[in-house]
Amino acid sequence: MMPDAPQARRRLVFLSARWHALAMLNYEIDPAALLPLVPTGVELDAHEGRHFVSMVGFLMLRTRVLGIPVPWHRHFEEVNLRFYVRRMVGGEVRRGVCFVKEIVPRRAIATTARWFYNEPYVALPMKHALSGPVRQFVEHSTRYRPIAAAAEGFAEYRWRFAGRWNALSLTHAGEPAALVPGSLEEFIAEHYWGYCQQRDGGTVEYEVVHPPWRVWQGSKPQLDCDAAALYGPQFGRVLDQPPQSAFLADGSEVAVLRPRRIA
């Protein structure tokens, strides 16, 4: 269930931004490949007994850190590989994500995230292309404009690694729809907590606050990268196969709250 936004605003927001046009390619994986990466205090989460990793590409827009806009670091791409965990707190199930690697184009962003969260960020050259229903963001601007929803669109995120451009992409069309309860898409998108192993073996937890997203079903999903070199052989074997599902989320304003140590 989505955290209460007014309650979140009463706590310290570490980072706020609009997350826009989230392209998600989802792959089933043997949980044994993930167990060494699970932080202390949480356990793997599953959908109908199946475990997944997701390649996610999106835009971060109007970014602020501790409420302060940082010049030349407000609008940028991110591509990450993530998996799904949960934590029981009393009678509450906190469903969250852990990251294998997060790619951004700004060295300062990667350094800050590693320092505050110990998140596995790296800085690489990046670029993106959007068309059709999600082509609402005008480059170097914060203005949005509606696009005819019937047109087919395209979302692509690129990063330069090992001397070549890698890419994640899909196509989409029509109107976005609300997430279907119990669906794989809901499982992938509706995780409102993040967990990260710390250098001393402990774990921090942070809350991610946003309204439910609407999604387009994706078609022609493609991942063109040397996944084994970038993420390790256990992920290379998985990411070299076609994804089990692909969709595009419209996105929203997002608040990432200050991390708290849990273990």
Side-chain angles (χ1 to χ4, degrees), residues 9-42:
R9 285 194 291 270
R10 290 194 292 270
R11 288 171 277 161
L12 181 61
V13 174
F14 175 75
L15 180 144
S16 63
R18 178 181 176 86
W19 293 4
H20 182 65
L22 295 95
M24 299 185 173
L25 277 57
N26 311 299
Y27 302 80
E28 188 173 1
I29 189 170
D30 185 339
L34 300 175
L35 286 174
L37 302 177
V38 176
T40 304
V42 301

Side-chain angles (χ1 to χ4, degrees), residues 38-41 114-119 196-205 260-263:
V38 176
T40 304
R114 288 197 300 266
W115 177 262
F116 280 96
Y117 288 81
N118 197 38
E119 290 281 17
C196 185
Q197 191 89 16
Q198 300 301 285
R199 296 173 183 87
D200 62 1
T203 302
V204 296
E205 170 190 77
R260 296 176 289 194
R261 192 176 182 91
I262 64 167

Side-chain angles (χ1 to χ4, degrees), residues 66-166:
L66 297 175
I68 301 171
V70 182
W72 303 292
H73 291 76
R74 297 202 67 198
H75 312 311
F76 55 90
E77 302 90 348
E78 178 174 323
V79 168
N80 62 60
L81 174 61
R82 71 187 204 180
F83 63 95
Y84 302 95
V85 297
R86 65 180 187 173
R87 175 182 178 229
M88 298 296 298
V89 181
E92 176 191 2
V93 179
R94 294 184 176 178
R95 300 175 64 200
V97 302
C98 296
F99 295 98
V100 178
K101 186 166 292 185
E102 298 163 88
I103 303 170
V104 291
R106 300 284 191 268
R107 189 176 301 276
I109 296 166
T111 301
T112 300
R114 288 197 300 266
W115 177 262
F116 280 96
Y117 288 81
N118 197 38
E119 290 281 17
Y121 270 84
V122 296
L124 297 173
M126 300 185 74
K127 56 186 178 180
H128 72 277
L130 300 176
S131 68
V134 296
R135 184 60 179 104
Q136 299 175 349
F137 176 62
V138 180
E139 201 71 34
H140 308 302
S141 172
T142 57
R143 296 184 61 192
Y144 292 80
R145 58 190 178 90
I147 300 294
E152 183 177 76
F154 178 73
E156 180 182 68
Y157 296 92
R158 288 183 172 267
W159 61 100
R160 190 165 181 82
F161 173 73
R164 73 177 185 93
W165 284 100
N166 299 252

Side-chain angles (χ1 to χ4, degrees), residues 185-206:
E185 291 77 15
E186 183 193 47
F187 171 80
I188 296 296
E190 297 283 278
H191 282 76
Y192 292 100
W193 298 87
Y195 295 93
C196 185
Q197 191 89 16
Q198 300 301 285
R199 296 173 183 87
D200 62 1
T203 302
V204 296
E205 170 190 77
Y206 54 91

